[in-house]
Amino acid sequence: MDEYGIESVFESDERIDEVIELGNRSRRTIGLLPHSAYFEAARKGCLLAAVKDNKIAAYALFGLPRNEITLTHLVVGQEHRKKGLARTLVRRIAELYPNRSGIRASCREDYKINEMWSSLGFYPRSEKTGRGADRAKVIVWYRNNPDHVDLFTPAFEPLIRASIEFDILRDLHDRPQRPGAQESLILVQDHLLEKLQLITTPQLHREVNSTTDDSRRNKYRWSLSHVYAKAQCDHRQADILTRRLIDRVNEEGAFTSQDHKGARYLGEAAACGADVFVTQDDSLISAFGKAADSVLGIRILRPSDVVIRIDEVSRAEIYRPSDIYGTGYSRAEVMSGTEEELLVFQNVTDGEAKQEFLDTLRSAGMDPRRWSRTLIRDADNRPVLLYASGIVNDQLNVPLLRVDGRHPVSPTLIQHTLFELRRACRAERLEVLFITDRNLPSQVRRAALLDGFVETNEALVALVVDSTGAASEVLEKTRQAGRRAGIEINFDTELEMARFAAAQVERAFWPAKVIDSQLPTFILPIRPEYSSILFGEPAPLPLFRTENWGLGREHVYYRSPYGLRLTAPARIIWYKSQGKERSAAAVIGCSLLEEVVVDDPVKLHSRFSRLGVWDLKHIEGVVRDGKAQALRFTQTEVFDRPLARKRLQDAFAGGSLTGTVQGPRNISPQLFASIYREGTRAG
């Protein structure tokens, strides 16, 4: 390996053409990938290569969704094999992203390279049936990062539901292939199985039935029944959406009689809950692209663009609290007699009947002492999120959780709500949260699974473990909660649990805190004007934050890059300084530090602006030598009982804290536990 170097290949690197060529030579086993996907990965720093004599010998193309790494391509040139390049690339990726839980890859079983995956440290996690013509078995392989624990084997909702037109279906199943079919075959690549669901519409079935060739028609019918998902379509809703689309295009004077079929395709796709409509017809894209996005909330994409869209959706940027700051969103109880207005939340896509939805909603309103029904409206008074909750058998039950999936801030509102429900559990001293909605929208289900919920036969379940202590204590309390929820829980409680494993446990079972671990804690001073913006201390919380909205999910704080170097993951104890207004200095809360980035202020602002609050001028105020430090943190808890400076000084044994906290300090696990228990009144 000494003669090989491992380098990132960036978008402007001329050698990216060599990478693409190497991928094309391996097309038989790794499948197709559009050139744009290579450039997009390179732009994000997700294209790593083994280089010899400035030539590409091997490469790994990967993504960074959720809290893991997905390995799309791992390719070694024929003449460079058996030199350990694949192992080196995988190891380097893991080293670059140690805070990720592990690496996921998908591979057909009939490629007969299972031993290779095992030798690289992967294990088979699940199996799926491929969408190709031969319906081959695809194995999902997983490699844990060493310091992480594999708490659950998560289920995954597709990131994208895509409706396809008839010509795409022909591309996928006609033999010999039609001209241009290669691009469509991208949709059935093995690595997209968990991310992309292809759904059918009535219009597609009509076109199949009108096929005059008996052999082809039967083959198409078989594929519609066995390969693709048949979504429920509300024909009345499809008619309404098609008419709206035609009216919008007519306003622009661009609609022609030949466009009726395309409009019907799109109207039905939207009624079936599709996120995108896939076609290679450029005239259809030109005629309906903008209107379909604005009227139906559906994107028209070529097959090659679907891969890019999947990556966009999988990135964390889907969480954008900046979209709701200062916008006039409101939260209130559902009033009796207003249920009909909320039919926008009926899950027509999955076949929920109107009466079934109304019965569920009304049953939760019959006993207001036991159940609550909460509605979120946007600034235009449109309902955007609805949920009902109540305590059943010492567990918080959520029989209804719906969102207007077309609304641009729906992903953010879902994540806020999931954490708010965990808070409600803790406030009521409950340890189990059940989401039992039988018609839960796929968008909500996916968000819950990514948020650490576990799927059982009857519900999605989260454990809320209010335990601050040794790993063995946290495990025992987690096991007890798991038994009540019907979930078996186990994780390694070895002394000095690695920091990444401890952080993972604290995320999954919030507000659990593992004290005998290597997860460090930093006490960090913050000026009152900034703590007011982020945490509502000392000023009252604005807008959503009057009810804890905006807290607890994800935020960013900027500081000077000098002083003690913070590392992630870690806990942060927030120490509000006295400030110009002479407000009392105190410890006001804690968070989980997820990421530390030092860069110039413009790049930091571009990267984290989605998290809101800060203007570029705020970042520039802490710049030193052209750099600032960004701290991205989650799971913020504002203490019920802030600790005054005198109390904090007393807590430091031997007078190790004197005067004020001028910069970040690393504190012991025991001191963190003492501060946390006192601030939260935890036992």
Side-chain angles (χ1 to χ4, degrees):
M1 270 299 300
D2 291 344
E3 56 190 357
Y4 293 91
I6 304 299
E7 304 175 11
S8 291
V9 179
F10 295 105
E11 190 177 13
S12 59
D13 195 325
E14 294 181 356
R15 294 175 300 181
I16 196 170
D17 293 330
E18 294 182 45
V19 172
I20 295 172
E21 175 58 29
L22 181 55
N24 288 340
R25 291 202 301 269
S26 305
R27 180 180 298 177
R28 188 183 65 81
T29 54
I30 65 172
L32 299 166
L33 197 66
H35 289 190
S36 56
Y38 287 95
F39 283 96
E40 185 71 6
R43 185 179 67 82
K44 296 171 184 169
C46 293
L47 185 57
L48 205 62
V51 180
K52 180 181 180 182
D53 299 328
N54 204 34
K55 298 292 184 181
I56 302 296
Y59 75 89
L61 187 149
F62 56 96
L64 299 171
R66 315 179 189 96
N67 190 41
E68 63 183 19
I69 302 160
T70 55
L71 189 58
T72 303
H73 279 183
L74 181 60
V75 180
V76 180
Q78 185 72 38
E79 63 274 26
H80 300 285
R81 293 177 182 174
K82 297 185 178 180
K83 298 181 184 296
L85 295 182
R87 182 185 306 277
T88 301
L89 286 168
V90 168
R91 186 170 60 241
R92 182 64 62 86
I93 292 171
E95 291 170 352
L96 287 172
Y97 301 97
N99 58 331
R100 301 273 168 163
S101 60
I103 305 175
R104 173 186 295 266
S106 300
C107 184
R108 286 170 58 122
E109 186 181 45
D110 58 7
Y111 288 163
K112 307 297 182 184
I113 56 173
N114 291 358
E115 289 186 7
M116 182 207 77
W117 290 112
S118 296
S119 70
L120 296 178
F122 288 79
Y123 66 90
R125 197 169 195 176
S126 61
E127 296 179 356
K128 293 182 177 293
T129 301
R131 285 190 288 246
D134 55 1
R135 307 286 285 152
K137 183 189 294 184
V138 175
I139 299 178
V140 178
W141 295 87
Y142 205 81
R143 180 187 189 273
N144 287 324
N145 269 351
D147 291 334
H148 288 255
V149 290
D150 193 9
L151 296 174
F152 312 111
T153 300
F156 288 97
E157 280 288 302
L159 294 171
I160 293 288
R161 287 162 60 94
S163 169
I164 60 175
E165 68 161 339
F166 182 55
D167 283 345
I168 298 292
L169 184 75
R170 294 175 62 193
D171 287 345
L172 298 178
H173 296 282
D174 279 358
R175 298 294 182 273
Q177 291 177 349
R178 291 158 25 94
Q182 286 291 312
E183 182 180 351
S184 296
L185 292 175
I186 290 169
L187 300 172
V188 294
Q189 296 305 300
D190 298 335
H191 69 273
L192 297 181
L193 269 175
E194 292 187 305
K195 305 172 185 177
L196 175 66
Q197 183 183 52
L198 300 178
I199 66 174
T200 67
T201 59
Q203 178 63 28
L204 181 59
H205 282 267
R206 286 191 287 270
E207 291 216 58
V208 165
N209 290 337
S210 66
T211 302
T212 56
D213 184 306
D214 291 345
S215 175
R216 290 182 185 275
R217 184 174 62 253
N218 290 335
K219 180 166 57 176
Y220 298 154
R221 283 175 173 170
W222 185 91
S223 70
L224 294 182
S225 300
H226 294 83
V227 180
Y228 307 105
K230 185 178 180 180
Q232 296 292 327
C233 183
D234 183 324
H235 294 281
R236 180 175 174 274
Q237 181 71 1
D239 291 341
I240 293 172
L241 295 175
T242 301
R243 186 69 256 169
R244 288 177 182 171
L245 181 64
I246 292 173
D247 289 345
R248 173 61 62 86
V249 177
N250 266 328
E251 290 175 5
E252 300 170 358
F255 193 79
T256 67
S257 58
Q258 288 79 24
D259 292 331
H260 277 282
K261 185 176 74 172
R264 187 66 195 179
Y265 254 128
L266 290 163
E268 290 181 352
C272 287
D275 303 294
V276 303
F277 179 76
V278 189
T279 180
Q280 289 201 56
D281 186 344
D282 290 332
S283 63
L284 190 150
I285 296 173
S286 176
F288 293 105
K290 291 183 179 179
D293 194 6
S294 61
V295 175
L296 307 180
I298 190 169
R299 295 196 180 190
I300 308 176
L301 300 175
R302 295 184 64 89
S304 57
D305 293 326
V306 173
V307 178
I308 303 300
R309 180 58 183 158
I310 288 172
D311 182 67
E312 291 173 352
V313 172
S314 69
R315 283 182 288 129
E317 281 78 357
I318 197 168
Y319 175 73
R320 301 184 60 87
S322 59
D323 291 343
I324 62 174
Y325 290 154
T327 54
Y329 280 70
S330 62
R331 179 185 185 201
E333 287 288 311
V334 175
M335 302 299 293
S336 178
T338 64
E339 290 87 356
E340 289 278 348
E341 177 198 8
L342 303 180
L343 283 171
V344 65
F345 296 114
Q346 177 189 348
N347 190 350
V348 175
T349 299
D350 293 332
E352 182 182 33
K354 171 183 176 182
Q355 196 57 48
E356 182 183 6
F357 168 76
L358 290 175
D359 287 347
T360 304
L361 179 58
R362 286 168 177 159
S363 65
M366 294 178 66
D367 186 356
R369 293 169 300 177
R370 182 180 178 188
W371 296 93
S372 63
R373 302 182 301 174
T374 304
L375 178 65
I376 309 298
R377 295 179 183 271
D378 67 10
D380 297 322
N381 208 37
R382 288 187 301 168
V384 291
L385 187 141
L386 168 71
Y387 68 93
S389 62
I391 299 175
V392 180
N393 299 326
D394 293 325
Q395 298 165 343
L396 186 65
N397 188 287
V398 182
L400 194 70
L401 177 51
R402 304 297 173 86
V403 68
D404 179 357
R406 307 293 177 192
H407 202 283
V409 304
S410 60
T412 301
L413 293 179
I414 293 169
Q415 292 193 46
H416 276 300
T417 301
L418 292 173
F419 197 73
E420 189 72 3
L421 290 168
R422 291 180 186 257
R423 289 179 183 277
C425 272
R426 186 190 194 186
E428 296 292 340
R429 299 184 180 276
L430 306 175
E431 293 183 327
V432 180
L433 167 59
F434 277 112
I435 300 178
T436 56
D437 190 339
R438 292 183 298 176
N439 293 287
L440 194 71
S442 60
Q443 185 182 17
V444 178
R445 180 175 179 272
R446 181 170 66 239
L449 291 171
L450 298 181
D451 196 51
F453 281 71
V454 179
E455 190 166 30
T456 68
N457 291 333
E458 302 296 329
L460 290 171
V461 185
L463 303 182
V464 180
V465 181
D466 199 354
S467 176
T468 301
S472 58
E473 298 172 26
V474 174
L475 173 59
E476 181 54 33
K477 194 162 185 180
T478 303
R479 280 175 172 165
Q480 293 173 6
R483 283 193 288 269
R484 287 193 288 274
I487 301 172
E488 184 176 346
I489 299 295
N490 192 25
F491 54 82
D492 188 0
T493 60
E494 181 181 344
L495 190 65
E496 293 294 303
M497 177 187 284
R499 64 190 302 179
F500 296 111
Q504 192 173 357
V505 168
E506 293 189 7
R507 290 188 199 99
F509 306 123
W510 180 93
K513 301 292 185 291
V514 183
I515 301 306
D516 58 341
S517 73
Q518 295 176 355
L519 186 66
T521 301
F522 299 101
I523 186 167
L524 186 67
I526 182 170
R527 287 158 50 184
E529 57 267 36
Y530 295 149
S531 68
S532 173
I533 293 172
L534 287 173
F535 313 128
E537 287 286 345
L541 298 169
L543 199 61
F544 264 114
R545 299 184 183 181
T546 57
E547 301 181 46
N548 283 335
W549 288 79
L551 293 177
R553 285 285 74 176
E554 185 177 358
H555 291 295
V556 64
Y557 177 62
Y558 297 99
R559 60 178 301 274
S560 164
Y562 292 162
L564 179 66
R565 183 176 179 82
L566 277 65
T567 55
R571 304 185 196 96
I572 295 177
I573 288 288
W574 297 100
Y575 176 79
K576 178 180 66 69
S577 60
Q578 192 171 45
K580 297 178 181 178
E581 301 300 321
R582 311 296 292 178
S583 62
V587 172
I588 59 171
C590 72
S591 304
L592 184 64
L593 179 62
E594 300 280 8
E595 185 178 15
V596 180
V597 181
V598 175
D599 211 331
D600 71 67
V602 174
K603 289 182 179 179
L604 290 177
H605 185 257
S606 174
R607 180 169 179 171
F608 295 113
S609 61
R610 64 186 174 87
L611 297 177
V613 178
W614 308 113
D615 295 327
L616 182 58
K617 64 181 181 182
H618 289 115
I619 310 175
E620 291 172 338
V622 297
V623 169
R624 298 294 183 273
D625 296 330
K627 303 289 185 182
Q629 184 180 72
L631 309 179
R632 181 174 64 84
F633 58 93
T634 63
Q635 295 181 303
T636 296
E637 300 172 67
V638 175
F639 289 164
D640 299 320
R641 182 167 52 189
L643 278 71
R645 184 175 66 187
K646 179 62 168 62
R647 179 70 189 89
L648 181 63
Q649 290 172 326
D650 292 343
F652 272 82
S656 58
L657 177 68
T658 58
T660 60
V661 179
Q662 299 291 341
R665 297 191 184 192
N666 197 329
I667 64 174
S668 70
Q670 293 72 27
L671 180 56
F672 164 75
S674 175
I675 293 172
Y676 182 77
R677 286 172 176 148
E678 184 168 343
T680 60
R681 295 188 173 91

